Amino acid sequence: MLAQVLAIIIFLAMFLLIILEIWERQWITLACGLLTLLLVFGLGMHSMGAIMRTLNLQSFFTTGFWYAAGESSEASSGINWQTIIFIAGMMIMVEGMAKVGFFRWLCMEIAKMVKYQVIPIFMTFMLLSFVLAMFIDSITVILFLAAVTIELSQLLEFDPVPMILSEIFCANLGGSATMCGDPPNIIIGTSLGYSFTDFITNTGLMAVVSLVFVVIYFYFAFRKELKKNGANKKDHASYPDPKEAITDKRGFIASCIIFLCAVVLLVSHAQTGLTVSTIGVAIAIVTLIVAGKDALELLKKVDYKTLLFFVGLFVVVSGLEETGVLKILAGFIGSVSGGNIAVMIAIIIIVSAVASAFIDNIPFAATMIPVITDLASDVAGVNLTVLAWALAIGTDIGGSATPIGASANVVGIATAAREGHIIKWGKYCKYMAPATIIVVAISLAMIYVRYL
């Protein structure tokens, strides 16, 4: 009982401190993780076994960590090292692509392709944001898209805010489509043993159908502003050549090849048996070899703060899992839904979306995985896979509704603000909350029609 109380207090304190942003979030989760090890497992449980299971260091020395041979792994407690290693590897690859000018070149090339017309740029940048976010962290996607959008807005004399808002939403939506697109999906996939193909054929289908409605919604929401501002008729020859964005031709070609290889490895990893941790390490090593003398610079640019955030977070969530708190929560959801799978799915997707609009969706997803696992094992007729897709789409999309719901939102708003385009809560929520509701409703309907 003492261990349960301590685990809950530490978890709630962590969430509150993350929301208040008094200290950087990685120090919050690491401190709370340390308290979990000392107070929950030490003082409350007197269990060295719980500490070892949580640290999960033995997983590095198992064959299944590096090569799964097509087997589906069980949900594991403790620090999910596969998630951390994979994200680190992808961070290194993305830094390599950014250094050679890949993202700026791509955006400028697309703008040139649609003859610098504002509404076609608006539509294609939404699609570009969606597609890139399927494979690359949405923060990186928005960082570069927002910067290029502002650059184009100065050239073509239009308001970049509508475009940035639509790009943010489509990046979050695109991230929901694949296992590697959004951190909650990586955690769900590695914890429950789902492959890239599993995600693309389930959440991916929901995301693509939703994208059609989202593009139409944003077009009608912003068409007047875009038409009003898109009056610039400069000679196209006066615009910068996209090739000028490439800083290193050899590195650019190598980055494109590495990125394509990463996509192929991820798509086929269920068939090859290579785990995401193996893919992450391989991609990072090749990127660093190609970078040569710039390898150290790429390593320095890796977001170590996010990786440390994950480590502390997994430890705190393990405190709830090891003490049985999450099993109690699963029982509560089961009793509220009356064992009805349709009600259960609605609760998970709606609660996930609402919670993710105000709190970080990564700790929420990590907390809910053991909950849905317990629900599937305790309630007859409940399919874990269906609950997993409801959790994934809810956490990924809910974050779009408010300026603080997802990291991509914060980055996009900050980029716009640096150039004098202030996006206030009122304007943001006016356009993004309805889009979020549309996607949640479509996803819920698709889950009911397809799985029930």
Side-chain angles (χ1 to χ4, degrees):
M1 184 66 184
L2 174 62
Q4 287 181 337
V5 172
L6 288 171
I8 293 168
I9 290 170
I10 292 169
F11 176 77
L12 293 176
M14 178 191 75
F15 250 120
L16 181 63
L17 290 170
I18 289 172
I19 293 167
L20 293 175
E21 297 181 336
I22 298 170
W23 299 289
E24 291 187 68
R25 63 179 190 165
Q26 75 275 8
W27 302 127
I28 294 168
T29 62
L30 286 171
C32 290
L34 182 60
L35 287 174
T36 299
L37 293 174
L38 294 174
L39 300 180
V40 178
F41 301 142
L43 180 65
M45 294 175 65
H46 306 291
S47 173
M48 193 64 194
I51 293 173
M52 296 306 292
R53 283 192 298 274
T54 297
L55 295 177
N56 202 20
L57 296 173
Q58 72 280 2
S59 62
F60 285 105
F61 306 101
T62 60
T63 307
F65 187 84
W66 305 103
Y67 181 72
E71 297 167 12
S72 171
S73 62
E74 294 298 316
S76 60
S77 60
I79 300 171
N80 190 331
W81 292 110
Q82 284 213 16
T83 294
I84 293 166
I85 289 173
F86 174 69
I87 291 175
M90 294 301 279
M91 281 176 176
I92 291 170
M93 181 192 75
V94 168
E95 287 298 338
M97 293 171 74
K99 185 171 175 57
V100 296
F102 174 84
F103 300 107
R104 188 167 290 275
W105 165 83
L106 183 61
C107 294
M108 297 302 289
E109 196 66 60
I110 287 174
K112 183 181 178 182
M113 203 182 299
V114 296
K115 299 178 180 176
Y116 300 98
Q117 297 299 305
V118 176
I119 288 181
I121 289 173
F122 174 70
M123 306 290 271
T124 51
F125 271 34
M126 275 196 280
L127 297 177
L128 178 63
S129 180
F130 180 90
V131 173
L132 283 177
M134 290 171 68
F135 306 100
I136 297 170
D137 177 52
S138 58
I139 300 170
T140 304
V141 172
I142 291 303
L143 201 59
F144 288 95
L145 265 183
V148 175
T149 298
I150 289 168
E151 190 176 320
L152 284 171
S153 75
Q154 291 164 351
L155 280 173
L156 306 177
E157 297 174 11
F158 66 85
D159 180 5
V161 170
M163 213 174 282
I164 289 172
L165 287 175
S166 62
E167 288 162 3
I168 289 170
F169 194 92
C170 288
N172 289 330
L173 183 60
S176 72
T178 64
M179 180 178 163
C180 62
D182 219 14
N185 288 12
I186 300 171
I187 295 169
I188 291 167
T190 53
S191 297
L192 302 178
Y194 297 134
S195 68
F196 186 94
T197 308
D198 292 330
F199 273 91
I200 202 79
T201 53
N202 289 281
T203 59
L205 187 60
M206 293 180 224
V208 170
V209 172
S210 299
L211 178 66
V212 176
F213 289 90
V214 164
V215 170
I216 294 168
Y217 164 77
F218 279 121
Y219 170 74
F220 282 106
F222 293 128
R223 71 188 187 286
K224 288 181 182 176
E225 290 180 57
L226 293 169
K227 283 178 180 175
K228 180 178 64 181
N229 291 294
N232 193 313
K233 301 293 180 187
K234 281 184 186 176
D235 178 20
H236 294 172
S238 65
Y239 298 136
D241 187 338
K243 290 178 182 175
E244 292 174 12
I246 301 171
T247 58
D248 176 359
K249 286 185 179 179
R250 175 183 161 275
F252 178 83
I253 294 167
S255 287
C256 290
I257 294 169
I258 291 168
F259 177 62
L260 289 174
C261 288
V263 172
V264 170
L265 287 172
L266 285 166
V267 170
S268 62
H269 80 94
Q271 288 72 40
T272 62
L274 298 176
T275 62
V276 291
S277 46
T278 301
I279 294 168
V281 169
I283 291 299
I285 289 171
V286 174
T287 301
L288 293 172
I289 290 170
V290 169
K293 65 180 188 302
D294 294 323
L296 190 61
E297 185 185 339
L298 294 187
L299 284 171
K300 285 179 181 176
K301 286 187 175 180
V302 171
D303 187 359
Y304 294 105
K305 292 179 179 181
T306 295
L307 300 179
L308 290 172
F309 167 76
F310 276 114
V311 172
L313 166 66
F314 285 130
V315 173
V316 175
V317 172
S318 284
L320 296 175
E321 190 176 0
E322 290 281 349
T323 55
V325 171
L326 297 182
K327 203 164 186 67
I328 294 168
L329 179 59
F332 175 73
I333 293 174
S335 62
V336 167
S337 63
N340 185 316
I341 181 68
V343 177
M344 208 175 286
I345 289 167
I347 290 172
I348 289 169
I349 197 169
I350 293 169
V351 169
S352 298
V354 172
S356 297
F358 299 99
I359 58 178
D360 199 310
N361 61 3
I362 298 169
F364 184 83
T367 307
M368 286 298 291
I369 289 168
V371 173
I372 63 171
T373 305
D374 288 338
L375 276 171
S377 61
D378 296 345
V379 182
V382 175
N383 188 336
L384 174 61
T385 304
V386 180
L387 298 185
W389 304 144
L391 175 63
I393 209 78
T395 51
D396 293 338
I397 299 305
S400 299
T402 66
I404 60 168
S407 301
N409 312 4
V410 178
V411 168
I413 291 168
T415 305
R418 277 200 299 273
E419 298 298 327
H421 302 282
I422 307 299
I423 304 173
K424 293 186 177 179
W425 266 74
K427 179 161 189 172
Y428 183 97
C429 296
K430 177 184 175 182
Y431 295 106
M432 303 290 261
T436 303
I437 293 167
I438 289 168
V439 175
V440 169
I442 291 168
S443 302
L444 188 56
M446 287 184 71
I447 290 173
Y448 283 165
V449 170
R450 185 173 178 185
Y451 305 109
L452 301 187

